[in-house]
């Protein structure tokens, strides 16, 4: 069997481009802003001062972030050549942070086409790190301004969507433009292409249930971690906390394109990754002392997975690549990576 060399724009991602501002904080800082050690939330009024305070921390780092953007960037890093296999759409502001995101995407050889507007500044995400936990507070700002009519529907942009074979969108984008997600998901389904979605965070399953379940019939691959899977199950009334059983139930939810059976992939940190047809895949061992920052591990897993999927590799290989990428990322601060992967 000849494996497909991925073509340019074969992988399409759309989401919230954010500049990650990461710093090590203490428990008092978390308590002050009512944060859990390990969580992802959207910033509220009470978090405004958090962003001012975190940038004054001694060792603050800035990295291009946003869940989907991280994943497509990692996929491109794993693939290496050709450049621009990964396409990314999202909204930024016409400001310094926006310029940084454009520069970082170019350096990562991702074909980023941002919708740029001047009403709102480029979005940021505060990564508050304590030990090997990270609490993420996203201030979407510009990312929340993505406009389907002014960007996705434009012929030159839509033609990039049509070029892709694999699509991936983090659930976070359901809070911004569910209509854009549906348009892309339906295109994938109608053309027997692969559409992947991430549960992303418990609050998506809780508070964005309606848009999530509207897109679910078009989802070929659903990603999530154990907490997100448990929350989804609870919200859907599955009445089970068994992760393998939840995966089976998610797999059998209604699906439009009957040519592809839905694949469910649930990661569980250092425990085995569960994937349907329900199998357990052990992760790579890592010494706790080597873990620098778990922020981006989930995004990296998806990126590694997508890099093999776009080359038409089997599920086992996709998961192996996901585990490899996550293992690299957690040894570094932010969702960053060495020059070249060492994956065979």
């Amino acid at each position: 069997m000849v494996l497909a060399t991925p073509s340019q724009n074969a992988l399409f991602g759309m989401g919230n481009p954010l500049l990650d501002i990461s710093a090590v904080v203490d428990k008092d800082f978390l308590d002050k802003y009512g944060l859990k050690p390990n969580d992802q939330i959207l910033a509220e009024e009470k978090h405004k001062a958090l962003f001012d305070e975190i940038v004054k921390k001694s060792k603050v780092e800035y990295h291009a972030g946003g869940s989907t953007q991280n994943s497509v960037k990692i996929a491109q890093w794993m693939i290496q050549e050709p450049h621009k296999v990964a396409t990314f759409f999202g909204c930024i502001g016409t400001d310094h942070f926006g310029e940084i995101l454009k520069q970082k995407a170019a350096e990562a050889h991702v074909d980023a086409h941002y919708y740029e507007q001047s009403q709102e500044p480029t979005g940021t995400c505060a990564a508050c790190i304590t030990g090997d936990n990270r609490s993420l507070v996203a201030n979407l700002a510009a990312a929340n301004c993505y406009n389907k009519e002014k960007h996705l529907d434009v012929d030159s942009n839509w033609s990039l969507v049509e070029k892709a074979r694999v699509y991936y969108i983090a659930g976070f984008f359901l809070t911004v433009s569910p209509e854009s997600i549906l348009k892309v998901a339906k295109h994938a389904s109608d053309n027997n292409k692969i559409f992947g979605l991430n549960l992303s965070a418990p609050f998506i399953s809780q508070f964005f249930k309606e848009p999530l379940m509207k897109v679910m019939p078009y989802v070929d691959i659903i990603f999530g971690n154990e907490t997100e899977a448990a929350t989804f199950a609870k919200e859907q009334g599955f009445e089970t906390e068994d992760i393998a059983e939840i995966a089976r139930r998610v797999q059998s939810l209604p699906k439009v394109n009957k040519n592809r059976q839905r694949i469910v992939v649930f990661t569980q940190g250092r425990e085995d990754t569960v994937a349907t047809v329900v199998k357990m895949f052990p992760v790579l061992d890592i010494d706790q002392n080597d873990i620098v920052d778990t922020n981006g591990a989930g995004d990296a897993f998806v990126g590694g997975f997508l890099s093999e999927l776009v080359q038409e590799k089997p599920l086992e290989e996709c998961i192996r690549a996901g585990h490899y990428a996550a293992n690299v990322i957690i040894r570094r601060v932010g969702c960053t990576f060495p020059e070249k992967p060492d994956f065979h």
Side-chain angles (χ1 to χ4, degrees), residues 255-329:
K255 192 164 186 307
V256 173
N257 178 8
K258 305 282 191 265
N259 296 324
R260 294 184 186 278
Q261 189 181 25
R262 181 179 293 121
I263 295 169
V264 181
V265 185
F266 290 147
T267 56
Q268 311 185 79
R270 69 186 80 162
E271 302 301 317
D272 293 358
T273 295
V274 182
T276 54
V277 182
V278 178
K279 279 169 81 169
M280 300 295 207
F281 295 89
V283 298
L284 296 166
D285 278 333
I286 184 166
D287 185 326
Q288 279 305 107
N289 299 328
D290 291 339
I291 297 179
V292 175
D293 177 7
T294 55
N295 184 21
D299 298 339
F301 172 82
V302 174
F305 188 104
L306 295 171
S307 72
E308 298 298 292
L309 183 67
V310 86
Q311 297 175 74
E312 297 172 21
K313 305 270 181 74
L315 179 64
E316 284 79 359
E317 279 301 291
C318 294
I319 288 174
R320 196 169 72 84
H323 287 161
Y324 166 79
N327 191 274
V328 170
I329 286 346

Side-chain angles (χ1 to χ4, degrees), residues 80-334:
Q80 292 281 307
E81 302 277 336
H83 292 164
K84 297 191 175 180
V85 169
T87 314
F88 178 76
F89 285 7
C91 182
I92 59 175
T94 50
D95 51 24
H96 177 59
F97 282 177
E99 289 305 316
I100 293 176
L101 287 185
K102 284 200 273 195
Q103 179 196 334
K104 294 291 182 189
E107 284 170 10
H109 307 299
V110 168
D111 195 12
H113 293 256
Y114 296 112
Y115 171 56
E116 298 181 44
Q117 51 72 57
S118 52
Q119 262 69 50
E120 286 281 340
T122 297
T124 49
C125 178
C128 310
I129 298 157
T130 51
D132 57 7
N133 286 322
R134 51 101 184 98
S135 197
L136 305 178
V137 184
N139 180 27
L140 296 184
N144 204 28
C145 301
Y146 188 79
N147 186 309
K148 176 176 170 288
E149 289 74 26
K150 290 185 181 162
H151 196 261
L152 186 69
D153 296 345
V154 175
D155 288 348
S156 57
N157 291 330
W158 185 251
S159 68
L160 289 169
V161 176
E162 292 178 324
K163 270 177 88 172
R165 286 203 309 267
V166 174
Y167 301 84
Y168 172 70
I169 300 176
F172 291 124
F173 201 58
L174 286 162
T175 76
V176 173
S177 186
E179 62 284 358
S180 295
I181 301 179
L182 265 177
K183 183 176 182 180
V184 171
K186 283 178 177 169
H187 167 80
S189 181
D190 292 347
N191 294 278
N192 195 29
K193 295 172 176 182
I194 302 171
F195 181 81
L197 185 79
N198 204 314
L199 293 175
S200 291
F203 80 83
I204 299 294
S205 294
Q206 291 167 311
F207 307 117
F208 294 87
K209 203 182 300 189
E210 195 186 346
L212 174 61
M213 295 320 287
K214 248 189 195 150
V215 78
M216 194 60 80
Y218 304 99
V219 177
D220 298 300
I221 306 180
I222 187 98
F223 296 96
N225 66 23
E226 71 277 40
T227 322
E228 294 149 10
T231 306
F232 180 82
K234 190 172 163 222
E235 291 295 326
Q236 295 299 318
F238 285 1
E239 292 180 356
T240 177
E241 287 176 14
D242 179 282
I243 191 130
E245 179 53 31
I246 295 171
R248 279 189 208 91
R249 297 279 291 273
V250 174
Q251 184 176 31
S252 59
L253 287 169
K255 192 164 186 307
V256 173
N257 178 8
K258 305 282 191 265
N259 296 324
R260 294 184 186 278
Q261 189 181 25
R262 181 179 293 121
I263 295 169
V264 181
V265 185
F266 290 147
T267 56
Q268 311 185 79
R270 69 186 80 162
E271 302 301 317
D272 293 358
T273 295
V274 182
T276 54
V277 182
V278 178
K279 279 169 81 169
M280 300 295 207
F281 295 89
V283 298
L284 296 166
D285 278 333
I286 184 166
D287 185 326
Q288 279 305 107
N289 299 328
D290 291 339
I291 297 179
V292 175
D293 177 7
T294 55
N295 184 21
D299 298 339
F301 172 82
V302 174
F305 188 104
L306 295 171
S307 72
E308 298 298 292
L309 183 67
V310 86
Q311 297 175 74
E312 297 172 21
K313 305 270 181 74
L315 179 64
E316 284 79 359
E317 279 301 291
C318 294
I319 288 174
R320 196 169 72 84
H323 287 161
Y324 166 79
N327 191 274
V328 170
I329 286 346
I330 58 182
R331 297 166 191 270
R332 306 166 68 90
V333 174

